[in-house]
Amino acid sequence: MAMVGLFWIAEGDVYVGAKPSGLAPGVRLTPEGVMALGDGQAALHLWEDVRALTVADVPVKSLMRQVGVVKDLAVDTVMNLALSLHPGRADEAPSMMTVRVESSGGEHELAAYVAAAVGYSATEVDLSRALLSRLTEGAATMATTLAAMSQWGRSQASGTPRGAERERLLREWMG
């Protein structure tokens, strides 16, 4: 499993945001279409009907966000040591982002968990949004792009690459 931009790629499966488990919400990109996963949003939006694919509410990495995460972790650690019954941040859900699918049937807002604890770099957000837009340009473009992302995921064994490599991959997948 690896994160590249806003995408989570696990053994050839491509998700926008984190890969969901159980009834948690998520969005998977398949050769057939955009698959909404989770309780209350299960659906398949076929690529032939998808006119636009965008994402909103994406946390962008910043120094203040990183400091906030470190501060929260430190406070939780102290609280857990002082009060062994305190649940801490482990019980809190990660942030959510909204994946918007515009299709012939209207606009659909899908929820997906954010995979990056301190947010995504601005460059990766921009490249990911451009890549999502590219997926709606036609069947051949979508199939080629998703196939490249899936193939990379199947061959990836060492986890999430560093920032420069993630950006390079996003640019490569855009063609």
Side-chain angles (χ1 to χ4, degrees):
M1 292 189 285
M3 183 179 67
V4 178
L6 301 180
F7 305 98
W8 190 261
I9 304 171
E11 300 171 6
D13 293 334
V14 179
Y15 298 88
V16 180
K19 177 182 177 182
S21 66
L23 297 176
V27 177
R28 183 175 168 213
L29 305 177
T30 71
E32 294 77 31
V34 180
M35 185 178 292
L37 304 168
D39 193 30
Q41 73 172 22
L44 176 63
H45 303 282
L46 299 175
W47 285 115
E48 60 202 37
D49 296 329
V50 175
R51 295 182 185 144
L53 188 57
T54 59
V55 65
D57 309 318
V58 178
V60 177
K61 189 185 300 184
S62 69
L63 180 58
M64 290 306 293
R65 179 177 293 279
Q66 291 172 344
V67 167
V69 168
V70 171
K71 177 192 68 85
D72 289 347
L73 182 59
V75 168
D76 284 346
T77 301
V78 169
M79 292 299 290
N80 283 330
L81 291 173
L83 304 168
S84 60
L85 298 177
H86 180 70
R89 285 184 61 100
D91 292 342
E92 292 179 21
S95 300
M96 300 285 280
M97 57 187 172
T98 305
V99 180
R100 291 192 178 104
V101 180
E102 184 184 317
S103 70
S104 55
E107 187 172 299
H108 310 276
E109 289 192 351
L110 311 175
Y113 283 115
V114 170
V118 294
Y120 302 93
S121 77
T123 302
E124 284 185 82
V125 171
D126 291 344
L127 290 169
S128 296
R129 285 181 169 150
L131 185 55
L132 285 169
S133 178
R134 182 157 169 69
L135 290 172
T136 65
E137 292 177 358
T141 300
M142 177 278 304
T144 303
T145 304
L146 276 182
M149 294 171 81
S150 296
Q151 177 58 37
W152 179 86
R154 282 189 291 277
S155 66
Q156 181 66 11
S158 60
T160 299
R162 294 183 123 357
E165 176 65 7
R166 292 191 307 264
E167 290 176 17
R168 186 195 67 74
L169 284 165
L170 290 166
R171 285 184 177 94
E172 178 182 311
W173 294 333
M174 284 192 343

